[in-house]
Amino acid sequence: MKPYYEDSAVTLYHGDFRDHMDTLTAAKADAIVTDPPYGETSLDWDVWPIGWLADAAAIADNLWCFGSFRMFHERAAEFATWKLAQDTVWEKHNGSGFHNDRFKRVHEFAVQWYRGEWGGLYNDPPKTADAMRKTVRRKERPTHMGEIAGTNYESTDGGDRIMRSVIKLRSMHGKAINETEKPVQLVSQYITCSVPIGGLVVDLFAGSASTGVAARQLGRKALLFEKRESQCEAAARRLERETSQPFDLGAIA
Ligand SMILES: C[S@@+](CC[C@H](N)C(=O)[O-])C[C@H]1O[C@@H](n2cnc3c(N)ncnc32)[C@H](O)[C@@H]1O
């Protein structure tokens, strides 16, 4: 089947990703970085695709999946064939309140799952030059943590430090082309640590193609799928427009 959009780094197919399983399994992706329909809103496309995690397991052994705690909790049985590696939090500047008698939710999770041996996966631990020193550096490691092998958690060399698991970034509110668009800078964190330069990332629920834009900027390749033609059209326009744009550093102050 002909891609909807293609350049030297990004290929976008229109349609349900499950109709492209031959292409997906042949591609030998390093990781899936994706943002499925959580099934929590009244949007017509927001329907959890039952069984997609089994399909994902045939595509890659490394999966970063966006979601809410409610989503991961309700779908726990479907994640059972995956092992949990870590959870991160995206803290947004605004939020969506589903209930007016509970906390306003201003965060989402991005959770990493894997199959097989952790040591067999590509993993470039996420580093940052601006981790908060007071929080990251300790004279003594707390005893309950045991050994943290191979990290520079306590680095005193002034170099990069392991990133904190809460990532504060402005949401795409006001400029998004997908109703639940993820910032390129956010998606980039997950691609960087799980996909080597020149490697391939797959996004099964591509929306606005943030994963494609990020992968291309990072020197990786991306294979994307999006069911709605209107989204494919908007994503293709974006991919053409943003070929040489630098990151939008919209971090929350
Ligand atoms: C949560 S949104 C993804 C947003 C995306 N991360 C972004 O930053 O723009 C999920 C997208 O998956 C699409 N979708 C839903 N089911 C799909 C399926 N089975 N195959 C491909 N795309 C699907 C929806 O149309 C929607 O645009």
Side-chain angles (χ1 to χ4, degrees), residues 7-207:
D7 63 35
S8 58
V10 181
T11 307
L12 166 67
Y13 284 97
H14 169 220
D16 190 315
F17 80 86
R18 289 171 288 202
D19 296 334
H20 298 264
M21 283 305 287
D22 287 351
T23 307
L24 277 161
T25 48
K28 303 215 177 315
D30 293 284
I32 300 171
V33 176
T34 202
D35 180 20
Y38 300 2
E40 292 180 349
T41 69
S42 56
L43 294 164
D44 58 354
W45 56 262
D46 192 12
V47 179
W48 177 261
I50 293 170
W52 77 267
L53 285 152
D55 296 322
I59 298 166
D61 289 332
N62 200 347
L63 166 68
W64 280 99
C65 181
F66 283 95
S68 65
F69 183 82
R70 184 183 296 276
M71 180 200 98
F72 288 114
H73 178 63
E74 286 178 354
R75 305 294 173 183
E78 292 188 55
F79 281 97
T81 55
W82 290 84
K83 291 183 250 184
L84 178 65
Q86 57 183 322
D87 53 291
T88 67
V89 172
W90 171 33
E91 183 185 335
K92 309 180 251 191
H93 73 289
N94 61 351
S96 42
F98 289 104
H99 304 277
N100 62 10
D101 59 352
R102 304 181 198 183
F103 285 96
K104 179 171 170 180
R105 199 174 85 195
V106 293
H107 72 279
E108 288 178 48
F109 288 98
V111 178
Q112 186 183 21
W113 304 85
Y114 69 103
R115 292 163 53 83
E117 293 303 313
W118 173 252
L121 301 177
Y122 176 83
N123 180 43
D124 184 9
K127 306 269 180 58
T128 178
D130 59 4
M132 282 179 272
R133 270 174 173 248
K134 274 190 203 133
T135 314
V136 175
R137 275 172 76 180
R138 294 174 196 274
K139 288 239 163 45
E140 285 180 15
R141 182 174 289 147
T143 48
H144 69 273
M145 293 178 68
E147 281 303 304
I148 305 175
T151 74
N152 66 348
Y153 180 81
E154 291 185 290
S155 169
T156 51
D157 60 6
D160 291 348
R161 287 171 169 74
I162 292 289
M163 256 182 96
R164 293 157 58 84
S165 58
V166 177
I167 300 172
K168 292 186 183 187
L169 273 178
R170 294 188 71 79
S171 77
M172 299 303 294
H173 188 70
K175 41 189 174 172
I177 58 175
N178 182 280
E179 301 87 335
T180 62
E181 189 168 320
K182 303 298 176 286
V184 168
Q185 200 190 357
L186 177 69
V187 180
S188 296
Q189 308 298 341
Y190 308 120
I191 296 176
T192 305
C193 65
S194 296
V195 182
I197 290 176
L200 178 72
V201 59
V202 161
D203 188 347
L204 305 173
F205 308 103

